[in-house]
């Protein structure tokens, strides 16, 4: 069998369960991610997809189940057994998290350049000139003009804020990025630009990505594999185009047939 | 050398939202194609030609049976392997030209084609993509534009360039000449013949009998199930 190169998972989760009172957010969920792969989690609001993202990234603890992360040296770590400082270090170095609302990640009182440079400084960079230059380079990559480097994020539009968040997240070259509805709340023309940017950067840098979206077109554009969630359970998973073009589960058939095609 | 082979392949659609109606499309399909050979799928409209082609690509999930693809020297059954392996088989072995181009916002025609090239630098891929687009009579001034606003025939030619640039050992073609004029149709015929000469195995649906007669070595008949029974 030719499962070449990347035989080992980057992230794997087994038997995740989580209830909020009598609401089941995660019902015995398994998930796996391989290096360089984009996995989309789709489903309607309240299906548990953002909860799953939070549990996979260690931001929220499951009531049972385990999440393993394999670092660049090949060591396996149980994400929920790590110390808080170790998990924070992981989020600063190997991982990135792109929030639906960029204000949850950006520091609004710090300049655009500072927001990007801060992640580098957290990793140990100290040379001011280099940090500033790298920040400007990254602003260019996300199509923000270098003249805006010293401006505060509150002078930016929604689409620019989201692009700034992406620059801030990717500047440290993470191996794994979690994205929660990265195009949610943006108007359509801005979405297209952002999607193109994410697609290009993720592929060029070979970043693995877990992407939560309710937009099936976003999943089709960005992800090789997709998981469909309903009421905390994964009802269907597989190749993105197969799941969307030949859905098997009643809920997936409903989801696919409910989309208006423009 | 057999490049792709199905055994007892079946496919049905279970429509949960339409009261659980089950539509049987394919049953007991045994089919193969060899290196350098072109097999045309033929049959009346609705018989399941496109369903078969999509199943071969893994775009539709087979209901039963096997679809074995020669991938890097070994036969891989894409019905049973993990989705990751199907992704790899599509990258390196199995190319597919759909009837319609799926447009990616903001991405130019040239990049859409260059993107699908394999085993060459980005610059080389762009040059090769430009050559292919020129050959298919897409004017240079359009290469840099996203094809969302292009005509149906132009989009189909971009789709063809994208499908052929990868030189995958197996190529699946769904109506590659449906909206082309005669001049472009003849170029596509030439491209298919060149692919065969390189040893590429081709499976296609060609409604145009001139195209079919020009490229196909064999015809595989797909019959509607009620007629076949």
């Amino acid at each position: 069998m030719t499962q070449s190169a990347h035989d080992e998972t980057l992230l794997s989760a087994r038997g995740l369960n989580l209830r909020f009172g009598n609401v089941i957010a995660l019902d015995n969920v398994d998930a796996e991610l391989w290096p360089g792969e984009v996995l989309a989690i789709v489903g309607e609001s309240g299906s548990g997809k953002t909860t799953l993202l939070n549990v996979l990234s260690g931001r929220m603890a499951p009531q049972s189940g385990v999440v393993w992360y394999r670092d660049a040296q090949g060591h396996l770590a149980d994400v929920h057994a790590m110390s808080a400082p170790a998990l924070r270090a992981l989020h600063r170095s190997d991982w990135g998290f792109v929030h639906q609302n960029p204000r949850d990640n950006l520091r609004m009182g710090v300049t655009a350049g500072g927001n990007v440079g801060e992640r580098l400084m957290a990793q140990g960079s100290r040379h001011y000139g280099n940090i500033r230059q790298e920040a400007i380079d990254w602003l260019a990559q996300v199509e923000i003009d270098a003249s805006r480097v010293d401006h505060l994020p509150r002078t930016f539009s929604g689409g620019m804020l989201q692009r700034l968040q992406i620059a801030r997240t990717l500047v440290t070259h993470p191996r794994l990025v979690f994205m929660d509805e990265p195009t949610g709340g943006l108007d359509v023309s801005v979405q297209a630009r952002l999607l193109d940017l994410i697609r290009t950067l993720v592929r060029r840098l070979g970043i693995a990505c877990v992407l939560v979206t309710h937009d099936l077109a976003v999943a089709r554009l960005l992800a090789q594999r997709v998981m469909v969630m309903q009421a905390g359970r994964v009802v269907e998973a597989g190749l993105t185009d197969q799941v969307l073009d030949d859905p098997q589960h009643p809920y997936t058939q409903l989801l696919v047939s409910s989309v208006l095609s423009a | 050398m057999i490049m792709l082979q199905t055994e007892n392949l079946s496919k049905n659609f279970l429509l949960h939202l339409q009261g659980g109606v089950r539509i049987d499309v394919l049953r007991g399909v045994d089919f193969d194609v060899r290196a350098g050979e072109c097999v045309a799928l033929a049959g009346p409209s609705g018989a399941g030609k496109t369903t078969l082609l999509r199943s071969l690509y893994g775009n539709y999930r087979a209901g039963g049976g096997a679809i074995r693809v020669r991938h890097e020297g070994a036969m891989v059954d894409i019905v049973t392997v993990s989705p990751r392996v199907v992704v790899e088989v599509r990258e390196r072995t199995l190319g597919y030209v759909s009837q319609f181009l799926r447009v990616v916002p903001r991405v130019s025609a040239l990049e859409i084609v260059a993107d699908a090239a394999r085993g060459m630098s980005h610059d080389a891929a762009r040059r090769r993509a430009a050559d292919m687009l020129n050959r298919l009579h897409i004017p240079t001034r359009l290469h840099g534009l996203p094809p969302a606003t292009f005509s149906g025939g132009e989009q189909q030619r971009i789709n063809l360039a994208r499908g052929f640039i990868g030189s995958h050992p197996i190529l699946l073609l769904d109506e590659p000449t449906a909206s082309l004029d005669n001049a472009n149709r003849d170029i596509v015929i030439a491209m298919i013949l060149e692919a065969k000469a390189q040893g590429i195995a081709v499976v296609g649906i060609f409604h145009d009998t001139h195209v079919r007669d020009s490229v196909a070595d064999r015809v595989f008949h797909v019959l509607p199930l009620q007629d076949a029974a």
Side-chain angles (χ1 to χ4, degrees), chain B:
Chain B
M1 183 169 59
I2 288 180
M3 295 300 291
L4 184 153
Q5 179 179 46
T6 72
E7 187 182 324
N8 201 23
L9 177 68
S10 65
K11 174 63 193 166
N12 62 68
F13 295 94
L14 187 55
L15 308 178
H16 293 284
L17 305 181
Q18 278 76 40
V21 172
R22 183 180 143 144
I23 301 173
D24 289 299
V25 182
L26 304 173
R27 193 186 301 144
V29 174
D30 294 317
F31 165 85
D32 61 54
V33 58
R34 290 158 193 276
E37 183 186 38
C38 174
V39 178
L41 305 181
S45 191
K49 301 182 295 293
T50 294
T51 296
L52 175 55
L53 204 65
R54 284 178 171 233
S55 301
L56 297 180
Y57 192 59
N59 177 233
Y60 284 172
R61 183 189 295 198
I67 300 170
R68 285 187 281 269
V69 174
R70 186 175 301 279
H71 174 60
E72 317 218 303
M75 294 308 267
V76 174
D77 179 3
I78 65 163
V79 176
T80 51
V81 291
S82 71
R84 282 187 334 113
V85 177
V86 179
V87 169
E88 191 192 288
V89 168
R90 288 174 176 184
E91 263 171 29
R92 303 187 198 160
T93 299
L94 196 57
Y96 176 65
V97 178
S98 59
Q99 276 188 61
F100 301 103
L101 177 69
R102 194 172 280 282
V103 177
V104 180
R106 289 218 320 164
V107 181
S108 72
L110 188 73
E111 287 298 333
I112 285 177
V113 177
D115 204 50
R118 303 180 308 137
M120 55 180 99
S121 72
H122 188 62
D123 282 342
R126 286 174 60 98
R127 283 194 298 275
R128 176 107 183 86
D131 288 346
M132 296 190 73
L133 290 174
N134 287 331
R135 183 177 184 192
L136 286 160
H137 297 131
I138 302 290
T140 312
R141 65 189 158 78
L142 295 183
H143 292 189
L145 302 176
T149 55
F150 291 9
S151 75
E154 286 165 341
Q155 292 196 7
Q156 185 169 35
R157 280 176 276 152
I158 288 156
N159 218 11
L160 281 159
R162 181 179 164 83
F164 277 85
I165 197 173
S167 295
H168 292 86
I170 306 167
L171 194 52
L172 311 176
L173 305 172
D174 192 354
E175 293 264 25
T177 58
S179 36
L180 300 187
D181 58 29
N182 286 346
N184 284 307
R185 187 189 67 177
D186 290 342
I187 290 162
V188 174
I189 291 172
M191 288 169 69
I192 294 171
L193 294 175
E194 285 164 25
K196 284 171 60 183
Q198 285 174 49
I200 291 172
V202 180
V203 182
I205 301 170
F206 312 101
H207 278 162
D208 183 326
T209 48
H210 172 67
V211 176
R212 189 196 297 169
D213 294 344
S214 305
V215 301
D217 300 289
R218 278 194 291 136
V219 172
F220 183 86
H221 290 279
V222 182
L223 297 175
L225 278 183
Q226 59 273 29
D227 298 355

Side-chain angles (χ1 to χ4, degrees), chain A residues 86-116:
Chain A
L87 187 61
R88 276 202 301 276
L90 197 59
H91 272 281
R92 272 202 306 270
S93 56
D94 283 24
W95 291 5
F97 202 108
V98 173
H99 297 258
Q100 176 171 7
N101 183 348
R103 291 171 187 80
D104 292 344
N105 189 354
L106 296 171
R107 298 221 291 151
M108 299 305 281
V110 174
T111 63
N115 263 287
V116 179

